[in-house]
Amino acid sequence: MTLRHSFIEVEPESHFPIQNLPYGVFRPQQGEPPRIGVAIGSYVLDLAVLDEAGCFSHIPDMTGKRIFAQHTLNAFMELGREAWRATRAAITQLLDAEEPTLRDNELLRSAAFHQQSEVQMLLPVQIGDYTDFYASKSHATNVGTLFRGKENALMPNWLHLPVGYHGRASSIVISGTNVRRPNGQIKLPDSEAPSFSPSRQLDYELEVGWIIGTGNELGKPIPIHEAEDHIFGLVLVNDWSARDIQAWEYQPLGPFLGKNFATSISPWVVPLEALTPFRIPAPKQTPVPLPYLTQDSSASFDIQLEATLQTSGSEQPITITSSNYSHLYWTIAQQIAHHTVGGCNLQPGDLLASGTISGETKESRGSMLELTWRGTEPIQLPSGEERVWLADGDRLTLSGYCQGDGYRVGFGEVTGRVLAAF
Amino acid sequence: MTLRHSFIEVEPESHFPIQNLPYGVFRPQQGEPPRIGVAIGSYVLDLAVLDEAGCFSHIPDMTGKRIFAQHTLNAFMELGREAWRATRAAITQLLDAEEPTLRDNELLRSAAFHQQSEVQMLLPVQIGDYTDFYASKSHATNVGTLFRGKENALMPNWLHLPVGYHGRASSIVISGTNVRRPNGQIKLPDSEAPSFSPSRQLDYELEVGWIIGTGNELGKPIPIHEAEDHIFGLVLVNDWSARDIQAWEYQPLGPFLGKNFATSISPWVVPLEALTPFRIPAPKQTPVPLPYLTQDSSASFDIQLEATLQTSGSEQPITITSSNYSHLYWTIAQQIAHHTVGGCNLQPGDLLASGTISGETKESRGSMLELTWRGTEPIQLPSGEERVWLADGDRLTLSGYCQGDGYRVGFGEVTGRVLAAF
């Protein structure tokens, strides 16, 4: 099969070929209302314009709703899987190199395409609830070893269920938002009492997040074999963490202020369908999980992931993590089945993040906590600087893509710069 | 000062005198759109009707917005404290026994008043994020003693900060909603591996919740002396808990499926202003908390709280908890100041719950976990039945009020019946 091409030129290293077509919400110019688009090459294709031109009039449930003129993807996602599939097929056809409808309509083209560099990207979805899992075995083992010693690294429950917790939805921000170093209570090792100060241990966490497209009714669990039908797509997630605040506060109810000052996500939601060619088997699980968590399909994905750090004193970002989605022990279907098995309802726009994705090698560790082994092994940067935690002015960027034969299905990036505490 | 009265007759034991006027969202009849009302005696006063009749035309920011014809209180709350105060003053005046405007307008009266027993109450606010605290010292001590022994009952952080965690917003339901017993992973004490079954340890938690009326910008903490300005009002909260699921899952990231199958709230939001006569000093705190948590006003409230249990085999509910809001160690202002001190943003409609409110006496314990001392001391019911945890068919109801001189400012109730697991 020859590779499908668009009449829009797309470099082989671009994250956004016609095979991807991720959805995002953008503002074309200051003062203009936000609308929904897909990324293609270095362009955004304005779906509200296409909709107005009648390009989606054949899709049931979409007529008259101005669904792409809305400020979030939620209403579109609520239409469900068939509508997503039909929309994706229609956009793919419209962008095809051989298809004249859009290619040869200069007026429509000039209205529908914007340069990505010229638009402002906004949060793509209204996130009702945010759940963060803890699904990388290497990450859980590293953190457990650092906090409780090697013998008790993994808690007894870890191999039996995908451990997760509720995060803070209100402080989820779009890539590019600067992140203010939080103040908080910290218990220094040599002090009797806690003190109040800016966090000294600011960290990032390299994660991937799944956007729920359609939910379930309260009290009606989602069986594991239906779990993926509820997924709209994926984003990159940086779950910024203040390790010193977290260490003091987290017992017995889990992370709170150590996490809720900011969580950054990438602007483009990559459709689950675009990842089909990159499916791989999930890791073998021992012990075999309980039946409600048992799955036999190719439930993981080969997604290369990277974190780069650029200090204010350096000209180039430096790669500090090279990881892969495949390091996750628990699959997204297992996480959804577990999340809902007691009856909890998911809703369109919910974000389910993976937790830090670390592999077994040192360079694949997805946080400073692990990379510097809780501050004992500083990262040496080419600029001569070193880091054990993030410093003010540092820019941390996550990126990721699936490598196809001659093309990439990419996530773009999620980036943020650390501002000094107030 | 003589007590103000309404032309609507209100019994002295009613929860809803003219001194209260809590807000709720109701549907007058099936098929009709929801709107906002206040409770007065056994009636609901329809504010959308009053608004249409021009009763609030003197209040800035309210004109032309049909703010009481909306399905939640969020838009009204966003108007801020001055608008709340002006609205409350206007409603109080309209309901006053000496005020003819509404009293003598039969047409308006017949359109504006509904019997509470004839309307359907709905969730009063759209809850963005739900945070649950752990603010009763007796509760934290009881739970700590049960799980970790008397010596380690309170974690080292507990006296220094109001411990809290993020809860699940999507599964918050209105009073009257039946609650399905969750299935989940449970590790029985004599088993090597976890098993999957309905929870055997279903519990309630007697809590009070604060509704945030106006939020703060991300990165801009709310100072403690401004914290109460952001509060719209209070509701009762039953934070249903599956103790066996919770015990197996909660380490190290906190409660998840043990809590997220349902949280019930009462329908009437009692305005903070209505509680002014019932302010009392908060407990003395030793050690004195850090300056950002230091407060010197009357920061607690005298609110009598009760939990009743009615089994399917009994004709009357039996009181199993008699507690009081004043048992809380941490104040709501301290919780808000702490929640935001690292920059986390609160938003209109957020719910901040107190955690289980237990006092020092046995009858004031706000959960079965504590009342039965983790199942070792069954509750004997007059029907001859006994309970260590909630059984299918049991109805659990929380209620609460402030006792004034000749009147009560009450919360009504939050009730739910346990359904058997699927």
Side-chain angles (χ1 to χ4, degrees):
Chain A
M1 205 173 94
T2 51
L3 197 61
R4 192 162 192 164
H5 280 95
S6 172
F7 61 84
I8 299 288
E9 204 183 330
V10 179
E11 300 292 326
E13 301 209 335
S14 167
H15 281 201
F16 306 122
I18 193 169
Q19 286 75 18
N20 189 352
L21 304 180
Y23 293 93
V25 173
F26 71 102
R27 196 190 294 279
Q29 294 196 5
Q30 228 184 347
E32 284 191 59
R35 74 274 312 272
I36 292 167
V38 295
I40 176 82
S42 61
Y43 293 92
V44 187
L45 176 61
D46 187 330
L47 298 187
V49 166
L50 295 189
D51 193 20
E52 206 138 305
C55 298
F56 304 117
S57 58
H58 61 293
I59 301 175
D61 302 333
M62 211 122 106
T63 322
K65 287 188 180 161
R66 306 191 72 230
I67 210 120
F68 297 121
Q70 303 207 16
H71 298 192
T72 68
L73 284 162
N74 293 52
F76 174 54
M77 296 194 301
E78 281 177 49
L79 297 181
R81 193 141 212 86
E82 281 315 306
W84 312 340
R85 197 172 284 156
T87 303
R88 182 172 165 80
I91 301 168
T92 304
Q93 184 60 35
L94 282 165
L95 285 170
D96 192 286
E98 307 303 320
E99 168 66 42
T101 314
L102 179 58
R103 186 192 65 196
D104 297 349
N105 184 336
E106 207 173 323
L107 204 66
L108 187 57
R109 273 178 58 177
S110 77
F113 285 102
H114 306 265
Q115 284 285 355
Q116 280 174 33
S117 56
E118 288 173 4
V119 306
Q120 181 196 6
M121 298 305 297
L122 305 169
L123 273 184
V125 294
Q126 187 186 348
I127 298 167
D129 278 291
Y130 161 42
T131 302
D132 200 16
F133 284 91
Y134 193 51
S136 149
K137 188 173 174 185
S138 294
H139 171 66
T141 305
N142 288 339
V143 172
T145 304
L146 285 167
F147 284 87
R148 291 177 299 273
K150 212 168 179 174
E151 303 308 305
N152 305 303
L154 280 191
M155 291 283 182
N157 57 19
W158 201 92
L159 291 170
H160 295 279
L161 55 81
V163 170
Y165 69 104
H166 302 119
R168 179 82 192 173
S170 72
S171 53
I172 295 175
V173 297
I174 191 69
S175 175
T177 309
N178 292 329
V179 170
R180 178 78 57 190
R181 177 183 301 273
N183 291 302
Q185 273 200 36
I186 292 157
K187 174 80 161 51
L188 296 172
D190 50 353
S191 293
E192 271 293 294
S195 51
F196 184 79
S197 78
S199 169
R200 294 167 175 85
Q201 300 185 350
L202 189 61
D203 202 353
Y204 70 98
E205 291 195 336
L206 166 63
E207 305 195 9
V208 160
W210 299 85
I211 306 283
I212 296 297
T214 54
N216 62 305
E217 205 181 309
L218 185 65
K220 302 273 173 68
I222 299 176
I224 192 161
H225 62 275
E226 293 174 13
E228 287 191 0
D229 292 342
H230 293 263
I231 297 172
F232 184 72
L234 282 83
V235 293
L236 300 171
V237 178
N238 181 353
D239 188 32
W240 304 90
S241 299
R243 301 297 181 191
D244 41 5
I245 295 173
Q246 185 184 350
W248 171 235
E249 76 177 355
Y250 91 102
Q251 283 190 316
L253 300 181
F256 185 45
L257 303 194
K259 301 273 191 178
N260 70 11
F261 55 96
T263 305
S264 303
I265 68 172
S266 56
W268 294 110
V269 185
V270 175
L272 180 58
E273 216 178 321
L275 297 177
T276 305
F278 309 102
R279 282 184 178 271
I280 53 173
K284 189 170 152 47
Q285 296 179 321
T286 312
V288 173
L290 284 163
Y292 81 93
L293 292 173
T294 306
Q295 192 183 16
D296 46 22
S297 56
S298 292
S300 192
F301 301 89
D302 180 10
I303 309 174
Q304 301 180 41
L305 299 165
E306 190 180 84
T308 68
L309 173 65
Q310 180 167 16
T311 68
S312 53
S314 62
E315 284 180 12
Q316 292 292 329
I318 302 301
T319 299
I320 57 174
T321 303
S322 297
S323 190
N324 194 296
Y325 184 90
S326 62
H327 295 318
L328 292 171
Y329 184 86
W330 294 102
T331 71
I332 178 60
Q334 289 177 318
Q335 288 164 350
I336 290 174
H338 183 66
H339 202 317
T340 62
V341 77
C344 182
N345 54 333
L346 301 181
Q347 295 182 322
D350 285 351
L351 176 67
L352 272 59
S354 60
T356 307
I357 306 176
S358 297
E360 290 182 8
T361 61
K362 182 163 179 180
E363 74 269 15
S364 66
R365 296 175 186 165
S367 67
M368 306 279 278
L369 174 68
E370 295 161 88
L371 283 168
T372 71
W373 213 244
R374 208 179 182 181
T376 59
E377 300 173 18
I379 299 171
Q380 306 295 337
L381 299 171
S383 59
E385 299 170 286
E386 62 174 43
R387 286 287 181 276
V388 284
W389 305 105
L390 294 172
D392 294 344
D394 284 356
R395 174 175 293 285
L396 198 292
T397 304
L398 308 180
S399 61
Y401 60 85
C402 305
Q403 183 64 56
D405 189 4
Y407 70 103
R408 286 179 175 177
V409 168
F411 292 80
E413 62 176 36
V414 54
T415 187
R417 203 162 156 264
V418 177
L419 302 182
F422 275 123
Chain B
M1 206 174 89
T2 51
L3 196 61
R4 193 162 193 165
H5 281 93
S6 173
F7 60 85
I8 298 288
E9 205 183 328
V10 179
E11 300 292 327
E13 300 210 336
S14 166
H15 282 202
F16 307 122
I18 194 168
Q19 286 75 18
N20 190 351
L21 304 181
Y23 293 93
V25 172
F26 70 103
R27 195 191 295 278
Q29 294 195 4
Q30 229 185 344
E32 284 191 59
R35 73 275 311 273
I36 293 167
V38 296
I40 175 81
S42 61
Y43 293 92
V44 186
L45 177 60
D46 187 329
L47 298 186
V49 167
L50 294 189
D51 193 21
E52 206 138 304
C55 296
F56 305 117
S57 58
H58 62 292
I59 301 174
D61 302 333
M62 211 122 105
T63 321
K65 288 190 182 162
R66 307 192 70 231
I67 209 120
F68 296 121
Q70 303 208 15
H71 299 193
T72 67
L73 284 161
N74 293 52
F76 173 55
M77 296 194 301
E78 281 177 48
L79 296 180
R81 194 142 211 87
E82 280 315 307
W84 312 340
R85 198 172 283 156
T87 302
R88 182 172 165 80
I91 301 168
T92 304
Q93 185 60 35
L94 282 165
L95 285 169
D96 192 285
E98 308 302 322
E99 170 64 42
T101 312
L102 178 58
R103 185 191 67 194
D104 298 348
N105 184 334
E106 209 174 318
L107 204 65
L108 187 56
R109 272 177 59 178
S110 76
F113 285 102
H114 307 264
Q115 283 285 355
Q116 280 174 32
S117 56
E118 290 173 4
V119 305
Q120 181 195 6
M121 297 305 297
L122 304 170
L123 273 184
V125 294
Q126 188 186 348
I127 299 167
D129 278 291
Y130 161 42
T131 302
D132 200 16
F133 285 91
Y134 193 52
S136 150
K137 189 174 174 183
S138 294
H139 172 66
T141 305
N142 288 340
V143 173
T145 304
L146 285 168
F147 285 87
R148 291 178 299 274
K150 213 168 178 173
E151 304 309 305
N152 304 302
L154 280 190
M155 290 284 182
N157 56 19
W158 200 92
L159 292 170
H160 295 279
L161 55 82
V163 170
Y165 69 103
H166 302 120
R168 180 80 192 175
S170 72
S171 53
I172 296 175
V173 296
I174 191 69
S175 175
T177 309
N178 292 330
V179 170
R180 178 79 56 189
R181 178 183 300 273
N183 290 302
Q185 273 200 37
I186 292 156
K187 174 79 161 51
L188 296 172
D190 49 355
S191 295
E192 271 292 294
S195 51
F196 183 79
S197 78
S199 169
R200 295 166 174 84
Q201 302 186 349
L202 190 61
D203 201 355
Y204 70 99
E205 290 196 335
L206 166 63
E207 306 195 9
V208 161
W210 298 86
I211 306 283
I212 297 297
T214 54
N216 62 305
E217 206 181 308
L218 185 64
K220 300 275 174 64
I222 299 175
I224 192 160
H225 62 275
E226 293 174 13
E228 287 191 359
D229 292 341
H230 293 263
I231 297 172
F232 183 73
L234 280 84
V235 292
L236 300 171
V237 178
N238 181 353
D239 187 31
W240 304 91
S241 299
R243 300 298 181 190
D244 40 7
I245 295 172
Q246 186 184 350
W248 171 235
E249 75 176 356
Y250 89 102
Q251 283 188 317
L253 300 180
F256 186 45
L257 303 194
K259 301 275 191 178
N260 71 11
F261 56 95
T263 305
S264 302
I265 68 171
S266 57
W268 294 109
V269 186
V270 174
L272 181 59
E273 216 178 322
L275 298 177
T276 305
F278 309 101
R279 283 185 177 270
I280 54 174
K284 189 169 151 49
Q285 296 178 321
T286 313
V288 173
L290 285 163
Y292 81 94
L293 293 173
T294 306
Q295 192 183 17
D296 47 21
S297 57
S298 291
S300 191
F301 301 90
D302 180 9
I303 309 173
Q304 300 180 41
L305 299 165
E306 189 179 85
T308 68
L309 173 65
Q310 180 167 16
T311 68
S312 53
S314 63
E315 284 180 12
Q316 291 292 330
I318 302 300
T319 299
I320 56 173
T321 303
S322 297
S323 189
N324 195 295
Y325 184 91
S326 63
H327 295 317
L328 293 171
Y329 184 85
W330 293 102
T331 71
I332 179 60
Q334 288 177 318
Q335 287 164 350
I336 290 173
H338 183 66
H339 201 319
T340 62
V341 77
C344 182
N345 54 332
L346 301 180
Q347 295 183 321
D350 284 350
L351 176 67
L352 271 60
S354 59
T356 307
I357 305 176
S358 299
E360 291 181 9
T361 61
K362 182 164 178 179
E363 74 269 15
S364 67
R365 294 176 187 164
S367 67
M368 306 279 280
L369 174 68
E370 295 161 88
L371 283 168
T372 71
W373 213 243
R374 208 179 182 181
T376 59
E377 301 171 19
I379 300 171
Q380 306 295 337
L381 300 171
S383 59
E385 299 170 286
E386 62 174 42
R387 286 286 181 277
V388 284
W389 305 105
L390 293 173
D392 294 344
D394 284 356
R395 174 175 293 286
L396 199 292
T397 305
L398 308 179
S399 62
Y401 60 85
C402 305
Q403 183 64 55
D405 190 4
Y407 70 101
R408 285 179 175 177
V409 168
F411 292 80
E413 62 177 35
V414 54
T415 187
R417 203 163 156 262
V418 177
L419 302 182
F422 276 124

